[in-house]
Every structure is written in structure tokens, then in C-alpha cells.
Amino acid sequence: SSAGLSAQHATQGNDAEWGFRRARVMVSVRGGALVHNARDGVFDLWTSDLTLKSSDFVSQVAGFDLMVNVVGPIDLFVGGDWSVVDLQSRSSRGITEATAQQTRIESFPALYAGLHARIYDPGRSADAWSVGVQAGAGVFRYRIEQSGVFTDFDEPLLQVEGQYVSTDEAPVAVAGLSIDRRLTSSFALLVDARYRYAVADARGDFADFDEVDLSGFQLSAGLRVVFGG
């Protein structure tokens, strides 16, 4: 009826007047690389005793972010990253052909929550660019595994097979910058750069090293989908 339509329009008008609207929700999926700092502790061992360099420690990363607008340009976000690097090496102190080893570093996953602020956002029109900054904290779980044939440094001709493992959970913090390029009002290409601070206790076979520093710079790209707003 005309009365019902009038009431509906009046309600919508009041919602607009009081600022009620569907919250903007953004979902992102991305993939890229994590360049580990690879200094101190166990990394010193690997780069001095194995045929590895600091620049070899680059993990493949897959991640997601879920953002919900809370007020103005400020979004609340939760996210997660999975990272892994597998490296083949040999001992630099023995019979090189007989000392093949594999080093694997996993983070499965790093989960965190925080705030994202859009510092430049011209709206949802196609071909527009937007820039945001973010910071958050959470927890990550890591696993380091080194396996293969190892040289006895006291008897260089003696090689033994073995597997050494460390795994633990610890706090993680992230801070970074993201850039979107809108394809449509609902889809955007995403480039994300962030620094991840992640230091955990060394456990198990690596306990003598006290800490494992898996911090580093992470760069990824992907797709962002925008709902509501």
C-alpha cells in the first residue's frame, strides 16, 4: 500500500540520517615471499657450517585478511599467514659428496588481529587506487627440521644420519602498507608489504640456541573483494 511504502521510505531516510548502513567488509587472499633476517643463533650455524647463505632463507607465503569497517577510515582486521622454505645443502667441513642435508622452516600459521587505516581512499569507483596502513599482533607456531647426513667435527671422515627438530609457539607482531587498484566496485588487485617480528624459544634438538628469530620482510600480492559499505 502507499502507506506501507511511505513508512519504508521514512525508515530508510531515518537510517541514512542517523548514519546506519551496511558495514563494509573486505576479504583478501594473497601469496608472496618472506625474506628472513637470517642472523644470529641457528642461522649462524647454518651459514658457517653448511653451504647456505643468508639470502637463501626466503619462505613462500600464502595468507588471508578479513577486514570490517568500524568507524570512518578505520577497519578491524584478522589475518593469517602460512610460510615454508626447503633448502638443500651440504656440510662445508667434510666429504661434501657424502653430507647431503635438508633444512625446512615452517610457520603454520601466524594468526593476528589489529587495525587497518585507509590513508587514501577515493571511493569504490573502478580504476581507483587506495592506500592503507596496518598493525597487529597475535601468535605463531613454527617448526624447524634439519635432516640428512652429518659430519662429526672431531672425526671428519665419520658421517651419521640424523634428524633435528625444534617447534614452539610465540607472539608475533606485524606492521605494513597495502595498496589496492580497483578493477570494479567490488574487486581490487592488492599489493601488501609488511614487517613481521617473530622470535620464539628454541626447543628440542636446538635448545642450546635459546631463541629462534624468524622475523623478516614480507611482500605479497593478491585479490581483495569488498562487500557492503
Side-chain angles (χ1 to χ4, degrees):
S1 67
S2 58
L5 290 174
S6 298
Q8 181 180 359
H9 290 158
T11 300
Q12 293 174 347
N14 289 337
D15 286 349
E17 180 180 351
W18 288 98
F20 297 128
R21 59 178 177 82
R22 292 176 58 195
R24 179 160 74 167
V25 177
M26 295 179 287
V27 179
S28 306
V29 291
R30 46 189 171 73
L34 169 63
V35 181
H36 294 282
N37 291 341
R39 59 173 180 258
D40 301 330
V42 68
F43 290 100
D44 282 343
L45 172 69
W46 288 332
T47 54
S48 62
D49 292 347
L50 301 178
T51 54
L52 293 174
K53 306 182 296 295
S54 296
S55 58
D56 293 328
F57 293 94
V58 180
S59 290
Q60 296 177 321
V61 175
F64 77 94
D65 295 296
L66 172 63
M67 300 183 182
V68 179
N69 182 237
V70 289
V71 60
I74 306 300
D75 306 312
L76 176 67
F77 82 89
V78 295
D81 291 315
W82 290 259
S83 64
V84 61
V85 57
D86 280 303
L87 298 171
Q88 300 290 333
S89 64
R90 292 189 294 270
S91 171
S92 60
R93 298 192 184 187
I95 303 174
T96 57
E97 294 301 325
T99 55
Q101 296 181 20
Q102 178 173 342
T103 302
R104 181 180 179 90
I105 303 173
E106 292 181 276
S107 176
F108 52 100
L111 296 174
Y112 37 78
L115 295 177
H116 173 267
R118 285 168 276 122
I119 58 177
Y120 175 73
D121 187 2
R124 292 178 57 176
S125 59
D127 298 325
W129 295 82
S130 65
V131 180
V133 294
Q134 59 197 12
V139 65
F140 82 107
R141 182 172 182 81
Y142 80 90
R143 176 183 172 88
I144 290 176
E145 179 180 313
Q146 188 176 3
S147 59
V149 181
F150 296 84
T151 300
D152 187 320
F153 295 151
D154 295 326
E155 299 184 43
L157 296 180
L158 177 63
Q159 283 85 38
V160 294
E161 290 191 15
Q163 182 182 59
Y164 301 91
V165 176
S166 175
T167 184
D168 196 18
E169 297 175 354
V172 60
V174 293
L177 175 77
S178 63
I179 301 175
D180 295 354
R181 185 188 187 282
R182 304 289 169 78
L183 301 176
T184 68
S185 60
S186 298
F187 293 92
L189 296 178
L190 167 70
V191 175
D192 183 280
R194 62 182 66 179
Y195 185 81
R196 185 174 86 169
Y197 178 80
V199 178
D201 291 333
R203 301 291 189 185
D205 300 314
F206 291 86
D208 290 342
F209 292 96
D210 295 329
E211 290 183 338
V212 177
D213 187 350
L214 298 178
S215 305
F217 177 77
Q218 182 174 309
L219 182 65
S220 57
L223 182 68
R224 175 167 286 168
V225 185
V226 182
F227 304 91

